[in-house]
Amino acid sequence: MVLENKRASHLPKHVAIIMDGNGRWASKRLLPREAGHYAGMKSVRETVRAACDLGLENLTLFAFSSENWKRPKTEVGVLMGLLRAYFRSDMDELAGRNVRMRIIGHRSRVASDIQKLIEESEKRTLTNTGMNLTIAFDYGGQEEIVAAARELARAAADGRIDPETITTELFAARLFTSALPSPDLVIRTSGEHRLSNFLLWQSAYAELLFLDTLWPDFDRAALEGALAQFDGRERRFGALDSEAVA
Ligand code: FPP
């Protein structure tokens, strides 16, 4: 499938991916779960490159949820190591591709050297105008919404805002994703049909695409296939379809 000439208007503005199935990919090969995460990293690289080549404006990847801390220490360590390695080894390429990096989540809970790498990568790519690549790491959608609500409640209690003036826009401006458009396509790999606390507010009108592919098997062709499926869907945002209106 060739999507190179696809008109930009048919591409989703923002694709968000729940990268699931690394563990099962490894188990199927009688490998330790960690091997699945290493293989998943290859898919991250291929997907990011493909998204850049296709001219996608926003790509968000769910790499570590707030709940993932409950996994065995060694597995958490591997995931932290992969994030560290990604910043160390891929930043030159990403910056060269004009990618702007953002990390969303509780960054205060990750090791200080990783925090530093995150800050450096965000600073280095701050003025880049190509694809926005957002990595959700130690991220949880409910916590994000509660933090925004708490901030607004505090402002109202202090008399800095009138509660009557709180709108969806004002609320969204307090979320990690305030600078990004809402995802219009959320993909989850590995056959699970759940959002698992990912971009809950932001996905209100997103098209959801659940693929059986395990994340380490996700590649350029899989991304193109997902974009083609999005292209075939009709989005109504609560209104009637165009035929019913005509
Ligand atoms: C879910 O698979 C995947 C994760 C918890 C981690 C995703 C991380 C990567 C793909 C690599 C790191 C990426 C970056 C950008 C640093 P699972 O382990 O829950 O799979 P399972 O459901 O089959 O057990």
Side-chain angles (χ1 to χ4, degrees):
M1 194 179 320
V2 179
L3 284 177
E4 254 74 29
N5 295 326
K6 209 167 158 56
R7 282 188 292 125
S9 60
H10 285 172
L11 276 178
K13 286 234 170 304
H14 185 173
V15 176
I17 310 183
I18 303 172
M19 309 182 287
D20 195 13
N22 293 352
R24 273 163 285 166
W25 183 92
S27 302
K28 273 171 70 178
R29 290 163 178 76
L30 306 177
L31 294 168
R33 293 179 53 79
E34 287 72 15
H37 297 315
Y38 288 115
M41 198 66 232
K42 279 196 199 150
S43 297
V44 167
R45 292 200 169 97
E46 183 164 346
T47 302
V48 169
R49 285 181 188 137
C52 285
D53 295 344
L54 290 165
L56 201 69
E57 290 174 29
N58 299 279
L59 175 68
T60 299
L61 302 176
F62 199 10
F64 191 91
S65 78
S66 312
E67 290 76 34
N68 286 154
W69 290 109
K70 295 179 200 150
R71 294 194 176 196
K73 250 187 174 175
T74 46
E75 187 172 343
V76 170
V78 165
L79 291 168
M80 294 292 157
L82 282 173
L83 185 69
R84 192 179 274 120
Y86 191 54
F87 283 121
R88 288 202 183 126
S89 59
D90 289 48
M91 219 34 65
D92 284 345
E93 177 183 339
L94 293 170
R97 283 181 175 269
N98 199 19
V99 165
R100 174 149 181 205
M101 291 291 302
R102 287 184 178 82
I103 306 299
I104 58 172
H106 266 288
R107 65 179 68 174
S108 61
R109 296 195 290 213
V110 300
S112 56
D113 71 301
I114 298 183
Q115 288 182 33
K116 202 157 165 259
L117 288 167
I118 291 174
E119 281 159 25
E120 279 167 11
S121 74
E122 287 183 334
K123 203 165 150 206
R124 176 170 177 193
T125 62
L126 188 69
T127 55
N128 285 0
T129 52
M131 187 174 80
N132 288 309
L133 173 61
T134 304
I135 309 282
F137 203 87
D138 194 7
Y139 170 86
Q142 290 182 335
E143 294 82 347
E144 179 186 34
I145 292 169
V146 168
R150 191 183 298 120
E151 204 186 301
L152 286 170
R154 208 175 278 136
D158 294 350
R160 283 180 281 124
I161 57 159
D162 173 358
E164 294 307 318
T165 64
I166 297 175
T167 58
T168 50
E169 289 79 16
L170 197 80
F171 196 91
R174 261 94 185 155
L175 300 175
F176 289 128
T177 48
S178 58
L180 305 173
S182 294
D184 30 20
L185 174 62
V186 174
I187 302 170
R188 181 175 190 143
T189 57
S190 92
E192 306 290 352
H193 295 193
R194 290 190 291 275
L195 282 178
S196 295
N197 210 8
F198 184 50
L199 300 180
L200 295 181
W201 169 285
Q202 297 87 339
S203 300
Y205 289 99
E207 291 295 323
L208 306 179
L209 183 60
F210 300 106
L211 301 174
D212 288 335
T213 314
L214 301 174
W215 176 251
D217 293 325
F218 193 89
D219 57 10
R220 184 177 288 260
L223 178 67
E224 291 185 351
L227 296 175
Q229 286 207 50
F230 174 83
D231 203 12
R233 290 197 186 178
E234 192 191 350
R235 307 190 71 212
R236 297 205 296 267
F237 300 97
L240 297 177
D241 63 38
S242 43
E243 255 175 47
V245 170

